[in-house]
Amino acid sequence: MTSKAGLVWSILLITAGIVSLAFIFYTLFPGKVPSVAGQYFTPSEIERARHYQQIMRLLGVMAFLAQVVCLVWLVASTRAMAWSDTVLRITGGRYYPALIIYFILIWILLKVVALPFNFYGGFIVQHQWGFSTQNLGSWWMDYLKGGVLELVLAGIGVTLLFWSSGRWPHTWWAVAALFLSGWLFISTFLWPLLVAPLFNRFQPIEEGPVKTTVDRLAERAGLKIKEILVMDASRRTTKANAYFTGLGSTKRIVLYDNLLKNYPLEEVEAVIAHEMAHWQRGHIFRSLLWSVGANFLLLGMLYAVLKITFTYEIARPGPYPPHLLVATLLFLQLVSFLGQPLQNAISRHYEREADRVALQLTGNPDAMIRLHIDLARKNLSDIAPPPFITWLTASHPSPLERIREAEEVTR
Ligand SMILES: [Zn+2]
């Protein structure tokens, strides 16, 4: 490792450490919410939601830190290299079988390290707070299904990445960024058809008042929406939500059955209008374009860092040795963690735009305000997180901000 590499890794690790500590600090000591929140929520509602979010935030950051510590330990203790040598010996020096076995090994290790936090946050806490409707067997089934899917897709990605490093020693990062970007478009198109049905059942919305609302809003938004789907979210959670997904002909709006069951029609209308606004403004497509830029930047930086860190390995012909995978994963973990503020700022920008367009579509700010109050109450969202937490992790504006925005319209 060159001294320049030492400097780059130190900066990355120290920055991630400081940001994590600040995140933990603001999670434990969030300060007071603006007094205006008292107009919409009782002090005990605010406190209860804060407490729930505190637990979830701590578990999230701990899972991240545990994985980073594990990866740093693998590199620093030279185990990353020793394991790679062992695997190569077992496969009789055959590169690709060794790479795949090595990847599976590291991947399982990372999963095991994060499991206690994922299990506690995803199962135990969800039951304690009365959200989960899932039994233990079904939770594990989800976890395994998701895990295998991730393992297969990431495994293919890693194999292609390392193959490119041998094929195009100086430009593999650009080729890989191109592959990855293409894959993001394809997978966004296919996700609703192939992946979502593995976890839930989807049914077109039935004739009735909601369907009439959909047709009216779609006409106003100038959208040709064939169908809106209802998802059986209640098999896992009591939380309500909705999302817009897909690309081209697979674009769709999905509503949780909990939303239709537990929310008045006017509020359901506000949700549908918000999702239609994402559709009308092409937010998925625009986010994908952002991610193309991010892929080139991320993989270009990865190449630069690997080059100064593993000068000897990279100078040799052929694909990178398997043990570079650990540094690669560590780099991607750290940079995506530190890249969150940018990603979330873009997301919040789209969410604000969707809220504004939705208000124009429904012309009913009161229902929008009631919706955000109800959602925050029932889903236990932090009404107004500390600015640092919002800056780092919030993909949506806070409920209080969304309520205030809708209030502006009524004035
Ligand atoms: Zn949205």
Side-chain angles (χ1 to χ4, degrees):
M1 204 198 279
T2 60
S3 60
K4 219 202 259 171
L7 184 69
V8 170
W9 284 106
S10 308
I11 291 175
L12 277 176
L13 285 167
I14 292 170
T15 316
I18 293 173
V19 172
S20 304
L21 280 179
F23 181 79
I24 293 171
F25 174 83
Y26 283 109
T27 297
L28 294 176
F29 309 103
K32 288 223 175 320
V33 296
S35 54
V36 64
Q39 286 178 28
Y40 314 99
F41 301 96
T42 67
S44 75
E45 279 172 343
I46 295 171
E47 272 320 297
R48 199 171 123 77
R50 274 247 155 119
H51 188 198
Y52 170 71
Q53 294 297 340
Q54 245 169 3
I55 298 169
M56 295 307 288
R57 280 180 195 142
L58 286 177
L59 289 168
V61 73
M62 273 166 10
F64 164 75
L65 289 175
Q67 290 189 328
V68 168
V69 167
C70 174
L71 290 168
V72 170
W73 168 75
L74 283 173
V75 178
S77 68
T78 68
R79 273 183 180 77
M81 206 186 298
W83 290 4
S84 157
D85 290 345
T86 310
V87 173
L88 273 165
R89 226 180 9 254
I90 293 169
T91 59
R94 278 174 305 158
Y95 177 78
Y96 286 102
L99 177 68
I100 291 167
I101 294 173
Y102 188 69
F103 165 73
I104 295 174
L105 198 71
I106 302 292
W107 187 87
I108 290 177
L109 184 67
L110 290 177
K111 274 279 158 189
V112 168
V113 163
L115 181 61
F117 308 105
N118 291 338
F119 178 71
Y120 195 73
F123 189 77
I124 308 271
V125 176
Q126 296 305 311
H127 274 278
Q128 282 171 344
W129 290 77
F131 285 129
S132 183
T133 54
Q134 227 178 354
N135 63 32
L136 192 59
S138 137
W139 187 87
W140 274 108
M141 197 59 213
D142 276 357
Y143 194 72
L144 282 176
K145 261 199 281 188
V148 169
L149 192 72
E150 202 184 296
L151 178 70
V152 171
L153 294 178
I156 295 172
V158 162
T159 310
L160 282 175
L161 190 87
F162 277 68
W163 171 76
S164 319
S165 74
R167 180 80 182 68
W168 299 283
H170 305 293
T171 50
W172 62 262
W173 58 274
V175 180
L178 210 61
F179 269 135
L180 183 59
S181 303
W183 167 245
L184 280 182
F185 279 87
I186 296 170
S187 63
T188 307
F189 176 80
L190 290 177
W191 191 86
L193 302 183
L194 299 182
V195 180
L198 293 176
F199 296 90
N200 283 95
R201 265 187 245 287
F202 296 86
Q203 231 127 40
I205 206 164
E206 287 162 17
E207 288 298 329
V210 179
K211 179 84 173 62
T212 319
T213 306
V214 167
D215 294 340
R216 198 182 56 236
L217 286 173
E219 199 188 310
R220 223 177 275 172
L223 295 171
K224 281 203 177 55
I225 294 177
K226 271 179 290 170
E227 57 189 15
I228 297 216
L229 301 172
V230 182
M231 180 177 106
D232 58 346
S234 59
R235 63 191 285 187
R236 293 198 179 83
T237 182
T238 58
K239 289 184 183 177
N241 210 338
Y243 63 83
F244 165 52
T245 182
L247 199 63
S249 62
T250 68
K251 276 193 279 201
R252 61 200 55 202
I253 289 170
V254 174
L255 306 174
Y256 281 25
D257 53 358
N258 297 328
L259 181 78
L260 296 181
K261 226 180 304 166
N262 304 328
Y263 287 70
L265 183 61
E266 276 192 331
E267 294 178 28
V268 174
E269 182 188 28
V271 172
I272 297 172
H274 173 94
E275 301 307 329
M276 277 188 190
H278 280 310
W279 188 322
Q280 193 207 45
R281 297 294 161 115
H283 284 164
I284 290 193
F285 187 74
R286 282 157 66 187
S287 309
L288 283 171
L289 291 183
W290 279 103
S291 58
V292 171
N295 290 340
F296 276 89
L297 193 67
L298 194 65
L299 291 168
M301 289 195 301
L302 172 67
Y303 172 60
V305 170
L306 289 180
K307 211 166 113 176
I308 52 173
T309 313
F310 301 99
T311 354
Y312 167 69
E313 285 92 335
I314 286 191
R316 282 189 312 189
Y320 292 172
H323 73 88
L324 264 61
L325 176 69
V326 176
T328 299
L329 291 177
L330 179 59
F331 179 82
L332 295 178
Q333 278 269 33
L334 292 173
V335 175
S336 32
F337 177 74
L338 295 172
Q340 284 181 105
L342 179 63
Q343 195 186 349
N344 285 320
I346 296 169
S347 171
R348 287 196 303 275
H349 171 76
Y350 289 158
E351 294 302 334
R352 268 186 220 109
E353 188 176 46
D355 275 351
R356 270 198 307 274
V357 174
L359 282 173
Q360 287 160 14
L361 288 175
T362 63
N364 189 350
D366 290 333
M368 183 67 98
I369 294 167
R370 280 197 303 277
L371 168 72
H372 287 309
I373 294 176
D374 274 353
L375 277 174
R377 254 184 212 148
K378 291 184 182 151
N379 292 356
L380 292 183
S381 324
D382 194 338
I383 312 315
F388 180 84
I389 302 253
T390 302
W391 173 77
L392 186 68
T393 56
S395 61
H396 289 64
S398 71
L400 187 61
E401 191 190 328
R402 299 177 86 173
I403 291 166
R404 303 300 289 170
E405 285 287 326
E407 292 272 19
E408 286 291 309
V409 178
T410 59
R411 263 183 231 133

